[in-house]
Amino acid sequence: MTLQQALDPERRAALLGVKLRALVCDAFAATDAESLPFSGGAAMVVGASAYVLLDENHERSLGRALAWAQARPVDELHVLAEAGTEVLARRAGLFAFPVSVWRVEGRALIRAEPAPPAQPEAPPGDVESLAELLRAAGLQVVAEHGEIVGELFGLVVARIVVDDDSRSGVEAEPRLEVGVGRHDREAFALLHGDLPAAEALAAVVSSVAQHRRPGGDNHPLNRLAGQRWLRDLVRREPSLVGLSSLEPADAPLRPLGVKDPSAAIGVGCDPSGASVVAAFSTGIDLDVVPAAADARLMHAPGARLLVVLPERDAHAVTYRLASSLRDPA
């Protein structure tokens, strides 16, 4: 942990504000800057220009910065960050609202070059027998981010793992890991590592299914990965959003864990056969629109783009961000 991270939030925000002011004054010879509150960093307005310094979750924070800027009478946004600037620049280029991205190097600002579009990761081959185990247990088999996983109403409860050890020269044998999240999988392996794969899978599915079901109790297992549950619902009934088919697809950024609220992605077709990319989200995720547009760039740049939310979560800020894309969602 750095000294800055160890500071209390109020002191940390004050230091970030000083840092942003110094960077902007040096780079843009700005005067009469007005510092304003910004969650997860610092922000200021100089005339008709907004400046935001990101302090956390850099690659996933463009939506937050844009939402902040669009709520103010400014004509352009400058986003400053010490990491993730290539992805930020790629996403910024998908918006009609003028956004410049700068990498912070000491006291200097370097204009960020956009990263190339993300590429889907190929799933492992020769795992059909284990994938069939997942299906037999009543799970939806999903190929995502180079892995094969088994989902119960969008919650990953098992994954097929192929260890990569190029030094040995021996092709690794795929195996099944069961449990919700990395820690749960590790604990289950320690306690029940001698169980046959089918029995281990059945035990976990039975335990999770007690709570993970439509209309189930208010249990943590029923609250995790809501965006993936929404995607699973539409996969089963694509007509809910005017589609004829939908399949899960990679997001441009790999999820950070089972509690990561970032959008789940799907690709499909409408009844006319036209390609559609959809991003699924629950709660108020300000980065769902940048993630959705980035996913369209990744999978089908000319496709129609949908952002799918529960009605209670369809906030005006999401509509505003969606309409400000060069090719609106």
Side-chain angles (χ1 to χ4, degrees):
M1 178 179 292
T2 66
L3 176 61
Q4 184 168 298
Q5 289 171 327
L7 295 171
D8 67 84
E10 186 173 334
R11 176 63 175 159
R12 184 176 177 182
L15 288 176
L16 288 170
V18 171
K19 180 177 180 178
L20 175 60
R21 181 178 292 275
L23 288 167
V24 172
C25 288
D26 284 357
F28 300 98
T31 58
D32 299 325
E34 179 186 6
S35 297
L36 296 167
F38 177 79
S39 175
M44 59 191 296
V45 171
V46 181
S49 299
Y51 299 85
V52 170
L53 173 63
L54 300 177
D55 186 43
E56 58 187 27
N57 298 325
H58 304 92
E59 294 175 326
R60 304 168 193 263
S61 294
L62 179 63
R64 184 152 38 102
L66 267 169
W68 184 91
Q70 290 181 345
R72 286 159 178 79
V74 298
D75 299 330
E76 62 176 358
L77 169 65
H78 297 268
V79 177
L80 288 61
E82 293 182 347
T85 52
E86 293 83 2
V87 170
L88 284 166
R90 181 180 71 206
R91 293 185 168 192
L94 301 174
F95 284 85
F97 190 89
V99 183
S100 299
V101 178
W102 304 86
R103 185 176 72 254
V104 179
E105 292 189 359
R107 293 289 297 266
L109 296 182
I110 311 299
R111 186 180 288 273
E113 293 295 327
Q119 297 297 317
E121 299 179 58
D126 196 26
V127 296
E128 184 54 34
S129 60
L130 289 178
E132 192 53 44
L133 274 181
L134 299 177
R135 296 188 189 95
L139 301 178
Q140 166 71 10
V141 175
V142 174
E144 199 172 24
H145 295 289
E147 295 181 322
I148 303 291
V149 301
E151 290 186 350
L152 181 64
F153 294 115
L155 182 64
V156 175
V157 300
R159 65 184 64 235
I160 298 172
V161 176
V162 182
D163 293 319
D164 183 17
D165 187 0
S166 57
R167 295 170 298 176
S168 67
V170 178
E171 187 172 345
E173 189 73 20
R175 70 180 191 278
L176 196 63
E177 290 187 352
V178 298
V180 178
R182 179 171 62 87
H183 298 299
D184 191 34
R185 292 194 301 274
E186 291 173 352
F188 190 94
L190 286 172
L191 294 172
H192 309 288
D194 55 343
L195 274 181
E199 291 184 32
L201 183 60
V204 169
V205 171
S206 175
S207 175
V208 174
Q210 295 179 43
H211 306 286
R212 184 77 170 186
R213 62 183 190 276
D217 54 11
N218 188 28
H219 189 275
L221 289 174
N222 227 25
R223 298 195 298 268
L224 288 171
Q227 73 279 27
R228 298 178 71 91
W229 194 338
L230 187 59
R231 180 178 67 179
D232 183 71
L233 174 66
V234 174
R235 179 194 63 80
R236 297 168 190 266
E237 196 174 344
S239 61
L240 285 169
V241 295
L243 300 182
S244 56
S245 66
L246 182 94
E247 293 297 331
D250 286 8
L253 299 177
R254 182 181 284 266
L256 299 175
V258 68
K259 295 182 179 180
D260 185 356
S262 58
I265 304 300
V267 297
C269 295
D270 64 19
S272 72
S275 296
V276 175
V277 175
F280 298 83
S281 180
T282 57
I284 306 300
D285 176 13
L286 291 176
D287 211 46
V288 63
V289 173
D294 204 11
R296 173 169 57 184
L297 181 67
M298 176 184 188
H299 293 289
R304 186 160 62 94
L305 182 61
L306 298 181
V307 177
V308 184
L309 307 143
E311 186 175 6
R312 66 179 182 275
D313 298 332
H315 195 277
V317 68
T318 305
Y319 284 99
R320 186 163 61 245
L321 288 169
S323 65
S324 64
L325 289 168
R326 293 185 184 277
D327 184 2

